Amino acid sequence: MFKRIFYTAIWLGLLTGGILPAQAEFSPFKPLPAQPPIPADNPMTAAKTHLGRQLFFDPRLSAAGTHSCNSCHQVMGGGEDGRALPAGTGRQGTRNTPTVWNVGFYTIYGRDGRWTRLEEAVRHHLLDPGEMGNPTPQVLVARLQAIPGYARQFQAVFPGAAPITPETISTALAAYLRTLVAGNSPFDRFLRGEKRALSPQARRGYQEFDKIQCSSCHFWVNLSGPVPGLAFQMGEGFYELFPNFVGSEYDQKLRLLEDPGRYAVTQDEADRRLWRVASLRNVALTAPYFHNGSALTLDEAVRVMAKTQLKQNLNDQQVSDIVAFLHSLTGVFPRQTMPRLPPSPGRSVWPP
Amino acid sequence: MFKRIFYTAIWLGLLTGGILPAQAEFSPFKPLPAQPPIPADNPMTAAKTHLGRQLFFDPRLSAAGTHSCNSCHQVMGGGEDGRALPAGTGRQGTRNTPTVWNVGFYTIYGRDGRWTRLEEAVRHHLLDPGEMGNPTPQVLVARLQAIPGYARQFQAVFPGAAPITPETISTALAAYLRTLVAGNSPFDRFLRGEKRALSPQARRGYQEFDKIQCSSCHFWVNLSGPVPGLAFQMGEGFYELFPNFVGSEYDQKLRLLEDPGRYAVTQDEADRRLWRVASLRNVALTAPYFHNGSALTLDEAVRVMAKTQLKQNLNDQQVSDIVAFLHSLTGVFPRQTMPRLPPSPGRSVWPP
């Protein structure tokens, strides 16, 4: 079981290996950098992130103009929808919406980690009939092409014969998403040496969190394991088995065994109940919790994780201390200007 | 019929009466002021409009967190949803969503003018089970009360025993809506003396618009008739009969006779097919057109209005000239900062 928690256990070797200066006191946590790793084939430009931001807030990306990316990933809030399960265009989703804040610090995307690139994850969402509801990629492309402002901007950002494609739409959106960085939380300030940034209770919670080994999975800059390009190198993503210890009352109460996790992608029994390690940054803003949104409060989520992952029964004091620590992971959100969505003057983009 | 177009025909008296300086060359159009009339009982304050802006973008105002005011009234776009009919939470709406841009310049609210105060219109939308879907006002109030940031802000803006009520929510939202002013259009600049702000075609369209008497209804600052507090005083609102001349092919084609308009409110036969005169400001951004969204293009809307209201058959040149004029009514949209929505830390506001 333990081995399965560290699905790709290479990081332990790296931890004790050559990447850290021998003299440095080792901490499994690091302050969040100002920017996530930027892939070489999607460099950040102002024109591209501006376009991505327009697209993110534009309901014309959905089949009937009812949903934008922001409908479920509410960036003015916690970057998700606050619901147990998302309301898509065609059907209710089956998994709790993860936040888009700090999404660029993940190594894999989706609750089951099925996508290895953010661009790929975005593209899937655009084209999933149950999410944005577009029946074909062509329908979406034609709709955006008919909006003069988009036609012009895509041509400028992605010059070529076919500037608007599902790939270029996803590329611009991913570039915008990588600007969504909410760091400089009290915990970041604490890590940078500002010891009073954490309350005494949050500090007790931090010690408890480390002691019972929540930090086995929730570590490094994003508290979600290694991040390529930010000192930890890992190719395969970082998963945990959840629940790790089967048999607690929560299996039934929170329906934890119903969704097979990564098994749904690979059909490999070894992947049953494997899930991407979720970041704990801004976790106080993303209730309810877990892949099915079954835990309504952070207190409950902490209790369940301790029990099912670490076989620990926490008392009320331990829970509230750890929760105080988790509250210290709420970052500072950058001020954003609302984009103007380019019009289709005098003409509806929707058929009658 | 003519009398019914000028439902409360007092304005004609005013026009020739004492309110205009005798020497001034009369124009039925005026540039849009920077601010609409502000009711004495809802003065604008920064704290109130900030709160209203948060509420406007917050899907927690709807019964299941799926819809904010902005879902249908998209302020980053034309202030509506671009659809023929809105997708509410419970059922599809039956009337095309009007824009919230420049809404403060109306004298009556709703397509049939059933509300005389903006606050009242907002309150209705909040509580309509088919729109935001809240089953009772208490459910909505309790949900907001459980969000510490809202509890604090409402207490500051509406001090008293019960700071959060449907009335205070609507009051804050109405204050925010009155900040949504998009003026300084090419036509406004033209009216201020910048004669080249309109293209030659738009100027021809303007003359045509006036000549065939579109301006009988679409006049003054909002091109929707008189505005109290802005020189024209009228208490009862300003309606037009649509279609005025029954019998054209559009009655069937665009289903113009199905919805009885203001009759649905008053049950008075004299009010059948009476509608609030819609502002033409930013009309190029609000396709499709009419109370049922049945006209997909501005060209078609102009042709239909000329035929059904003024018994005019326009040729293609006339239509495209008038459309060029209508495009000159697109204003400049103020830059807005995205609000941060106050969290309910560690706890979902939604029941399981």
Side-chain angles (χ1 to χ4, degrees):
Chain A
M1 283 301 185
F2 191 72
K3 266 172 71 191
R4 290 183 67 192
I5 298 186
F6 304 101
Y7 184 63
T8 46
I10 313 156
W11 75 272
L12 273 173
L14 293 173
L15 231 158
T16 53
I19 56 165
L20 293 164
Q23 299 87 344
E25 189 194 348
F26 177 71
S27 162
F29 305 103
K30 294 286 164 197
L32 197 71
Q35 198 178 50
I38 306 299
D41 61 356
N42 192 6
M44 305 285 272
T45 68
K48 197 196 287 170
T49 57
H50 175 69
L51 174 58
R53 194 172 42 151
Q54 290 174 308
L55 294 167
F56 188 86
F57 284 95
D58 199 331
R60 291 172 296 185
L61 264 59
S62 67
T66 53
H67 290 63
S68 69
C69 304
N70 187 66
S71 296
C72 292
H73 295 286
Q74 297 161 14
V75 301
M76 300 182 205
E80 40 77 76
D81 58 6
R83 292 166 48 96
L85 301 174
T89 57
R91 53 162 167 73
Q92 175 160 288
T94 57
R95 289 177 180 167
N96 182 260
T97 305
T99 179
V100 284
W101 281 104
N102 301 327
V103 70
F105 293 95
Y106 274 115
T107 55
I108 46 176
Y109 299 92
R111 291 245 169 217
D112 58 21
R114 65 176 66 193
W115 302 292
T116 54
R117 285 177 58 90
L118 182 53
E119 285 78 357
E120 189 191 349
V122 171
R123 184 176 182 282
H124 166 83
H125 286 10
L126 277 178
L127 301 179
D128 185 328
E131 296 185 42
M132 298 305 256
N134 293 300
T136 67
Q138 290 74 29
V139 168
L140 170 63
V141 167
R143 198 184 308 126
L144 297 190
Q145 191 70 55
I147 299 167
Y150 278 140
R152 205 162 42 236
Q153 287 184 84
F154 272 95
Q155 181 66 55
V157 176
F158 304 103
I164 307 185
T165 66
E167 287 68 34
T168 58
I169 300 167
S170 309
T171 299
L173 280 164
Y176 168 62
L177 291 174
R178 291 194 181 98
T179 70
L180 296 177
V181 178
N184 206 25
S185 67
F187 184 59
D188 290 294
R189 291 191 279 123
F190 176 83
L191 290 175
R192 290 200 188 92
E194 195 185 319
K195 294 304 169 198
R196 299 184 64 169
L198 295 196
S199 69
Q201 185 179 25
R203 254 180 290 177
R204 281 201 311 275
Y206 175 37
Q207 284 158 3
E208 196 69 50
F209 181 88
D210 208 32
K211 188 174 123 207
I212 67 171
Q213 299 193 358
C214 304
S215 50
S216 305
C217 288
H218 297 287
F219 67 100
W220 210 239
V221 295
N222 205 28
L223 293 94
S224 64
V227 179
L230 292 169
F232 274 108
Q233 301 293 335
M234 280 185 63
E236 286 187 53
F238 191 61
Y239 296 90
E240 67 183 321
L241 185 63
F242 174 63
N244 180 27
F245 295 105
V246 170
S248 79
E249 78 263 32
Y250 299 120
D251 293 356
Q252 299 300 314
K253 193 179 160 201
L254 304 184
R255 307 176 309 281
L256 298 183
L257 306 179
E258 284 179 13
D259 190 325
R262 187 163 162 76
Y263 171 85
V265 190
T266 63
Q267 312 293 314
D268 181 345
E269 272 303 328
D271 287 339
R272 188 172 290 277
R273 302 200 315 278
L274 279 190
W275 299 96
R276 174 178 75 169
V277 174
S279 172
L280 298 182
R281 287 191 173 276
N282 304 305
V283 70
L285 309 186
T286 64
Y289 301 100
F290 304 150
H291 56 267
N292 58 5
S294 58
L296 295 193
T297 66
L298 192 49
D299 289 47
E300 185 177 22
V302 166
R303 217 178 279 277
V304 174
M305 287 303 274
K307 180 71 174 181
T308 63
Q309 303 307 90
L310 305 163
K311 223 167 188 166
Q312 299 270 339
N313 291 299
L314 301 184
N315 62 38
D316 289 354
Q317 185 64 53
Q318 287 171 305
V319 170
S320 65
D321 288 354
I322 291 175
V323 166
F325 166 62
L326 294 177
H327 277 262
S328 84
L329 296 171
T330 299
V332 175
F333 292 82
R335 176 181 292 236
Q336 292 188 76
T337 302
M338 292 185 205
R340 288 294 312 159
L341 306 183
S344 58
R347 179 174 295 276
S348 172
V349 299
W350 307 109
Chain B
M1 282 302 183
F2 191 71
K3 265 170 74 190
R4 289 182 67 191
I5 298 186
F6 303 100
Y7 184 65
T8 45
I10 311 156
W11 76 272
L12 273 173
L14 292 173
L15 232 157
T16 52
I19 59 167
L20 291 164
Q23 299 87 342
E25 189 193 348
F26 177 73
S27 162
F29 305 103
K30 292 288 165 196
L32 198 69
Q35 198 177 50
I38 307 297
D41 61 357
N42 191 8
M44 306 285 271
T45 68
K48 195 195 288 171
T49 57
H50 176 68
L51 174 58
R53 193 172 45 151
Q54 290 173 308
L55 294 167
F56 188 84
F57 284 96
D58 200 331
R60 291 172 296 184
L61 265 60
S62 67
T66 53
H67 291 63
S68 67
C69 304
N70 188 66
S71 296
C72 293
H73 295 286
Q74 298 162 16
V75 300
M76 301 181 203
E80 40 75 79
D81 58 6
R83 293 165 49 95
L85 301 174
T89 59
R91 53 162 169 72
Q92 176 160 286
T94 57
R95 288 177 181 168
N96 183 261
T97 305
T99 180
V100 284
W101 281 104
N102 301 327
V103 70
F105 293 95
Y106 275 115
T107 55
I108 46 174
Y109 299 92
R111 292 241 170 221
D112 58 20
R114 64 176 67 192
W115 302 293
T116 54
R117 284 177 58 90
L118 182 52
E119 285 77 356
E120 188 192 352
V122 172
R123 185 175 181 282
H124 167 84
H125 286 10
L126 278 177
L127 301 180
D128 186 327
E131 296 186 39
M132 299 305 255
N134 293 300
T136 67
Q138 290 74 26
V139 167
L140 170 64
V141 167
R143 199 185 306 126
L144 297 190
Q145 191 69 54
I147 299 167
Y150 278 139
R152 206 163 40 237
Q153 287 184 83
F154 272 96
Q155 180 65 57
V157 175
F158 303 102
I164 308 185
T165 66
E167 286 67 34
T168 58
I169 301 168
S170 309
T171 300
L173 279 164
Y176 169 61
L177 291 173
R178 292 194 181 98
T179 71
L180 297 177
V181 177
N184 207 23
S185 67
F187 184 59
D188 290 295
R189 291 190 281 124
F190 176 83
L191 290 175
R192 290 202 188 90
E194 194 184 321
K195 293 302 167 202
R196 299 185 62 171
L198 295 194
S199 69
Q201 186 179 24
R203 253 179 292 178
R204 280 203 309 275
Y206 174 38
Q207 285 158 2
E208 195 68 51
F209 181 90
D210 208 33
K211 188 174 121 205
I212 68 171
Q213 298 191 359
C214 305
S215 49
S216 306
C217 288
H218 298 286
F219 67 100
W220 210 237
V221 295
N222 205 28
L223 291 94
S224 63
V227 178
L230 292 169
F232 274 108
Q233 302 294 336
M234 279 187 63
E236 287 188 51
F238 192 62
Y239 296 89
E240 66 182 322
L241 184 65
F242 173 63
N244 180 27
F245 295 105
V246 171
S248 80
E249 76 262 34
Y250 299 120
D251 292 355
Q252 298 301 314
K253 193 178 160 200
L254 304 183
R255 307 177 310 283
L256 298 183
L257 306 180
E258 285 178 13
D259 189 326
R262 186 164 163 76
Y263 172 84
V265 189
T266 62
Q267 312 294 316
D268 180 346
E269 273 301 330
D271 287 338
R272 188 172 289 278
R273 303 198 316 277
L274 279 191
W275 298 95
R276 176 179 73 170
V277 174
S279 172
L280 297 182
R281 288 193 172 272
N282 303 304
V283 69
L285 309 185
T286 63
Y289 300 101
F290 304 148
H291 57 266
N292 58 4
S294 59
L296 296 191
T297 66
L298 192 49
D299 289 46
E300 186 178 20
V302 166
R303 216 178 281 275
V304 174
M305 287 303 276
K307 180 70 176 183
T308 62
Q309 303 306 92
L310 305 163
K311 224 170 186 168
Q312 298 271 338
N313 291 301
L314 300 183
N315 63 36
D316 290 352
Q317 185 63 52
Q318 289 170 303
V319 170
S320 65
D321 288 353
I322 291 176
V323 166
F325 166 63
L326 295 176
H327 278 261
S328 84
L329 296 171
T330 299
V332 176
F333 293 82
R335 176 180 294 234
Q336 291 188 77
T337 303
M338 292 185 204
R340 291 294 310 159
L341 306 184
S344 59
R347 179 174 294 276
S348 171
V349 297
W350 308 108

